């Protein structure tokens, strides 16, 4: 017991000796969808693109999530209810985790998954964290904006943003992304280490993110930041082995 206390005191901030990671969302969570996930965005069916989320466009089979965007006509209402209120051109899909992610001085989170992400102009899939109350924080672990790149982003404000782009294959093969979120020693800021295919890519920092609850969202938005016009046919964004673990208390 004395040895444990000494080592615990010597541990660096953000490390948690002899504590196993707790599984918050297991890698097979899509097989128990209603236990871990809700349909749509936390705030509803609309956001900042031309896709409106619909239950019929959210498909789960063999522990793989498929979000499907299809062109639509005569939507009601005709524009998004979220700013900047673009015209709705697609029915699509989004889900969010029931469990919030809150990094504190006593814990750290790892958020990961494997994705088959479309990269055509007008397709805007994402795997991201955003504030439960207010905004920011926002951490984009996967964001594809109509090019063969994944964007790792951290928003401290709308104008103070750190972005790192990495090449993303266009063949719709599955690749993994991961973020490890750890409180800094000032107990205010969060260090975010990003990985692709288990290779470390970059570290970014979220100012004042400690103690801020965040939603985890997987969505297929359309057009907006990914350009227009979007595809005239069906677009599919797939996710599997999405997992969240927490180390510490």
């Amino acid at each position: 017991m004395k040895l444990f206390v000494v080592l615990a005191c010597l541990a660096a901030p953000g490390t948690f000796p002899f504590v196993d990671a707790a599984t918050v969302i297991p890698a097979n969570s899509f097989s128990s969808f209603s236990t871990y996930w809700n349909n749509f965005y936390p705030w509803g069916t609309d956001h900042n693109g031309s896709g409106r989320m619909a239950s019929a466009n959210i498909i789960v089979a063999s522990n793989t999530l498929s979000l499907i965007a299809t062109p639509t006509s005569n939507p009601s209402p005709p524009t998004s209810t979220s700013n900047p209120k673009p015209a709705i051109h697609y029915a699509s899909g989004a889900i969010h985790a029931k469990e919030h992610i809150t990094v504190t001085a006593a814990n750290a989170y790892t958020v990961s998954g494997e994705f088959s992400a479309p990269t055509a102009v007008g397709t805007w899939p994402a795997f991201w964290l955003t504030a439960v109350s207010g905004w920011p924080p926002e951490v984009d672990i996967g964001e594809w904006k109509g090019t063969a790149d994944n964007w790792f982003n951290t928003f401290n404000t709308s104008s103070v943003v750190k972005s790192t782009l990495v090449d993303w294959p266009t063949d719709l093969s599955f690749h993994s992304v991961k973020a490890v979120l750890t409180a800094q020693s000032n107990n205010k800021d969060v260090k975010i280490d990003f990985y692709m295919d288990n290779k470390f890519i970059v570290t970014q920092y979220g100012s004042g993110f400690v103690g801020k609850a965040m939603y985890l969202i997987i969505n297929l938005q359309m057009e907006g930041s990914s350009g227009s016009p979007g595809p005239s046919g069906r677009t599919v964004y797939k996710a599997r082995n999405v997992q969240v673990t927490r180390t510490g208390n």
Side-chain angles (χ1 to χ4, degrees):
M1 180 61 70
K2 290 182 179 179
L3 178 61
F4 173 82
V5 171
V6 170
L7 289 176
C9 292
L10 292 175
T15 63
F16 310 99
F18 307 114
V19 179
D20 292 332
T23 300
V24 178
I25 299 175
N28 64 350
S29 67
F30 294 144
S31 295
S32 303
F33 186 90
S34 62
T35 301
Y36 298 100
W37 301 94
N38 290 318
N39 284 352
F40 310 143
Y41 296 106
W43 51 85
T45 60
D46 294 1
H47 196 213
N48 52 0
S50 66
R52 174 167 290 147
M53 308 304 116
S55 296
N57 294 60
I58 303 167
I59 306 296
V60 175
S62 301
N63 197 43
T64 298
L65 170 73
S66 295
L67 303 178
I68 302 168
T70 54
T72 189
S73 58
N74 300 316
S76 180
T79 60
S80 173
T81 57
S82 295
N83 289 328
K85 300 187 177 180
I88 296 297
H89 297 151
Y90 296 87
S92 192
I95 67 170
H96 68 277
K98 292 184 175 182
E99 185 81 14
H100 297 162
I101 293 172
T102 307
V103 179
T104 71
N107 67 31
Y109 280 85
T110 298
V111 183
S112 62
E114 299 172 2
F115 299 89
S116 166
T119 56
V121 171
T123 62
W124 192 7
F127 175 55
W128 57 303
L129 303 169
T130 193
V132 171
S133 178
W135 185 89
E138 179 177 326
V139 178
D140 300 325
I141 307 166
E143 184 181 26
W144 300 266
K145 298 194 287 187
T147 65
D149 304 288
N150 176 42
W151 294 61
F152 292 122
N153 304 312
T154 301
F155 285 80
N156 287 292
T157 69
S158 58
S159 58
V160 180
V161 185
K162 179 65 176 179
S163 296
T164 301
L165 280 69
V166 292
D167 293 339
W168 190 268
T170 60
D171 61 359
L172 298 179
S173 55
F174 278 91
H175 293 270
S176 67
V177 291
K178 178 172 69 175
V180 180
L181 298 91
T182 309
Q184 292 294 90
S185 58
N186 64 3
N187 292 334
K188 295 180 180 179
D189 303 333
V190 171
K191 176 185 177 185
I192 307 151
D193 292 327
F194 291 99
Y195 298 78
M196 178 174 165
D197 289 334
N198 294 315
K199 178 183 177 182
F200 171 75
I201 302 297
V202 70
T203 296
Q204 298 175 7
Y205 294 90
S207 178
F209 284 17
V210 168
K212 301 289 183 66
M214 293 181 284
Y215 295 117
L216 174 61
I217 301 171
I218 307 172
N219 69 270
L220 175 55
Q221 193 47 261
M222 301 295 284
E223 298 183 316
S225 291
S226 65
S228 61
S232 59
R234 186 173 181 262
T235 299
V236 181
Y237 171 40
K238 295 182 179 181
R240 68 187 186 191
N241 296 326
V242 172
Q243 184 174 41
V244 177
T245 59
R246 182 180 62 244
T247 306
N249 297 324

